Amino acid sequence: MEVFNITKKQARQFLLLKHGLLGEYKFEEKKGIQEFVEQVGCIQFDPIDACGKNADLVLLSRIKNYKKTMLYELLYQERTLIDYFDKNLSIFSMSDWPYFLRRHHEYDYMTRYDKGIKPACDEIKNEIRLRGPLCSNDFSRDKHIIGTWGSKSSLARAVLEHLYFTGELAIHHKKGTIKYYDCIENCIPSKLLNKKDPNKELSDFQSWLVLRRIKSVGLLWNKASDAYLCISELKTPVRTAIFNDLIKHNKIVEVNVEGCKEKLYCAKEDISLIHQIIASSPLKKRCEFIAPLDNLLWDRKLIKELFNFEYTWEIYIPEEKRKFGYYVLPILYGDEFIGRIEAIYTKKTKELVVKNIWYEPSVKITKTHQTLITKQLKKLERMNQEEIN
């Protein structure tokens, strides 16, 4: 079995090169968005919009000339991407849809709600067939049930979500945060809808997802990790068996990082990047703001190990207990995290307001750093100023 021995600096550069965060931009405009999403499998979608939604922030840091309308068009007009559940709510390539057929059947969302949801499903679907894409506001709000987290929800909204989770409806488009649903056959090509699940057994699906997550992050270890969220029944013995099988079939390779006790693994197809890092001259340093749910940060213990940088998304932490702020973005420069920034975009004034910047104690901030950070703030502001019709 091929084994690579590299330094922590080389490991950092390998990860950043794979993610398109080091050197010149390797992804550009809509074509680059599609290529990046296919490379990492999925990017997490989160509706919170303090200075841009997570998916937009992920792409802004990697895609040259990125605009929010590009992602919207790929999702809801060209439909080469789709939003559904992978690692929580995510965006992934439309071609991957058949791999998630198991999720449609296994996700019995109905059990989380009052049984009144079941008889309303056909009624909602028939209404959509008759009137076209609809949102929850297009239905009566007279009937309510207790939702997933004990909160009150309209029956129509609960039914729409249930049908979305089970793959009977898809998001046709959005107006702001409002989702408009349509029948799945109107949003996904018939050749994909009629395709059988490529994974015959749950174990096949688990293995496919583990490899997908390794590719998503770049380097991962065989131990509990947030990178494996939403892979059902992935207990330690199961995960270890999957790793052994992936090694046996030459789909992943072992990477030993100097000073790291745990063995790490990368996808076989990424070996060329390791060779490139070992052999190449220094790559151009970039300054980028990294999204809170960025693929690079899926395993924050790994980030602490390799970058000596601790990051916690404090959005759900009470304000008085936060160390930094509500929606804070790590600042990457070259192959180091040099600090973090909290910026809020105000739609009324169309301005990006910097609430605070915290630099790492070990980093000596120069004029170059400040110039590049200012440049990134302007880029972030421009993205937020763009409106999607």
Side-chain angles (χ1 to χ4, degrees):
M1 180 183 71
E2 192 171 14
V3 178
F4 288 89
N5 297 294
I6 60 176
T7 65
K8 283 189 177 180
K9 185 175 182 65
Q10 289 171 331
R12 295 196 300 269
Q13 291 178 340
F14 164 76
L15 282 175
L16 298 173
L17 186 62
K18 176 177 171 61
H19 279 273
L21 291 167
L22 189 63
E24 299 292 344
Y25 287 95
K26 69 175 185 177
F27 302 105
E28 187 170 356
E29 299 186 349
K30 281 203 286 190
K31 183 175 182 289
I33 295 171
Q34 189 74 37
E35 290 172 346
F36 176 71
V37 172
E38 290 177 358
Q39 174 185 289
V40 296
C42 74
I43 54 177
Q44 278 188 257
F45 176 82
D46 187 87
I48 296 169
D49 192 353
C51 59
K53 295 176 183 176
N54 184 77
D56 289 314
L57 294 170
V58 169
L59 295 172
L60 184 67
S61 66
R62 292 158 169 90
I63 310 299
K64 188 176 181 179
N65 301 323
Y66 177 72
K67 294 181 179 179
K68 290 188 289 185
T69 50
M70 295 175 181
L71 178 59
Y72 187 90
E73 288 168 5
L74 290 172
L75 280 166
Y76 307 121
Q77 294 175 9
E78 299 174 27
R79 299 194 185 280
T80 58
L81 300 178
I82 190 168
D83 45 358
Y84 190 67
F85 278 78
D86 185 344
K87 184 182 181 287
N88 294 321
L89 185 58
S90 298
I91 292 168
F92 55 82
S93 176
M94 179 69 79
S95 60
D96 288 342
W97 180 256
Y99 287 89
F100 292 93
L101 292 175
R102 184 177 300 273
R103 283 256 169 97
H104 309 162
H105 300 304
E106 291 180 350
Y107 196 89
D108 189 8
Y109 199 78
M110 193 178 298
T111 60
R112 301 189 183 194
Y113 281 122
D114 183 273
K115 295 300 180 183
I117 238 184
K118 190 171 183 178
C121 287
D122 287 340
E123 180 183 342
I124 292 285
K125 285 192 290 184
N126 288 336
E127 195 70 15
I128 289 174
R129 290 189 186 104
L130 180 66
R131 298 166 56 193
L134 300 173
C135 69
S136 60
N137 294 334
D138 293 319
F139 296 91
S140 169
R141 300 185 185 184
D142 295 340
K143 297 180 181 179
H144 293 83
I145 57 174
I146 301 302
T148 311
W149 307 109
S151 58
K152 196 175 183 181
S153 171
S154 73
L155 177 60
R157 180 178 178 180
V159 172
L160 288 168
E161 289 181 351
H162 165 69
L163 293 171
Y164 166 70
F165 294 137
T166 56
E168 296 172 76
L169 296 180
I171 297 173
H172 181 271
H173 68 280
K174 294 179 181 178
K175 289 184 180 179
T177 58
I178 300 174
K179 302 173 185 176
Y180 285 77
Y181 297 89
D182 198 359
C183 296
I184 196 73
E185 60 269 21
N186 295 331
C187 299
I188 295 181
S190 57
K191 65 179 181 180
L192 287 176
L193 284 179
N194 296 328
K195 195 172 181 180
K196 293 183 178 179
D197 185 349
N199 296 306
K200 294 182 180 180
E201 306 292 340
L202 173 60
S203 57
D204 299 322
F205 185 48
Q206 290 173 317
S207 182
W208 180 78
L209 281 174
V210 168
L211 180 59
R212 184 174 173 89
R213 301 297 171 78
I214 293 172
K215 292 178 181 179
S216 291
V217 178
L219 286 172
L220 273 180
W221 35 33
N222 176 19
K223 67 177 187 178
S225 168
D226 284 348
Y228 303 125
L229 284 174
C230 302
I231 304 179
S232 61
E233 302 179 40
L234 192 67
K235 305 296 184 183
T236 299
V238 174
R239 190 184 63 245
T240 297
I242 288 172
F243 265 81
N244 290 338
D245 188 65
L246 291 173
I247 293 168
K248 178 182 176 182
H249 288 90
N250 204 30
K251 293 183 178 180
I252 61 174
V253 296
E254 183 180 320
V255 180
N256 292 322
V257 178
E258 183 181 9
C260 182
K261 293 181 181 179
E262 300 284 344
K263 294 178 181 179
L264 294 168
Y265 299 86
C266 75
K268 177 73 173 179
E269 64 201 52
D270 289 333
I271 288 177
S272 61
L273 292 178
I274 295 181
H275 287 302
Q276 183 178 340
I277 288 297
I278 293 173
S280 70
S281 55
L283 294 163
K284 177 184 176 182
K285 292 182 178 181
R286 294 217 318 262
C287 178
E288 301 288 355
F289 301 152
I290 304 302
L293 300 175
D294 194 289
N295 301 54
L296 181 66
L297 301 179
W298 280 2
D299 191 317
R300 288 169 188 164
K301 291 181 180 178
L302 180 64
I303 293 299
K304 173 68 168 70
E305 181 72 40
L306 298 180
F307 290 83
N308 193 30
F309 180 76
E310 292 189 73
Y311 176 71
T312 300
W313 196 30
E314 297 181 300
I315 196 166
Y316 298 115
I317 296 175
E319 185 174 358
E320 66 275 9
K321 294 183 179 180
R322 290 177 191 147
K323 187 176 179 181
F324 297 102
Y326 170 76
Y327 204 93
V328 173
L329 311 180
I331 304 172
L332 180 72
Y333 176 67
D335 61 7
E336 294 181 307
F337 287 102
I338 62 170
R340 56 202 88 202
I341 186 167
E342 183 178 21
I344 302 295
Y345 180 72
T346 306
K347 292 183 180 180
K348 186 175 181 179
T349 61
K350 294 187 176 182
E351 292 180 322
L352 186 73
V353 178
V354 177
K355 295 187 69 175
N356 211 333
I357 298 180
W358 302 267
Y359 294 112
E360 292 295 282
S362 60
V363 177
K364 184 178 180 181
I365 298 301
T366 66
K367 287 185 178 179
T368 298
H369 290 122
Q370 293 171 339
T371 299
L372 290 172
I373 288 171
T374 299
K375 183 179 178 181
Q376 291 305 309
L377 285 168
K378 290 179 179 178
K379 185 171 78 168
L380 182 58
E381 185 175 65
R382 284 195 302 271
M383 184 196 75
N384 280 282
Q385 289 170 341
E386 180 193 6
E387 295 182 2
I388 297 176
N389 297 325

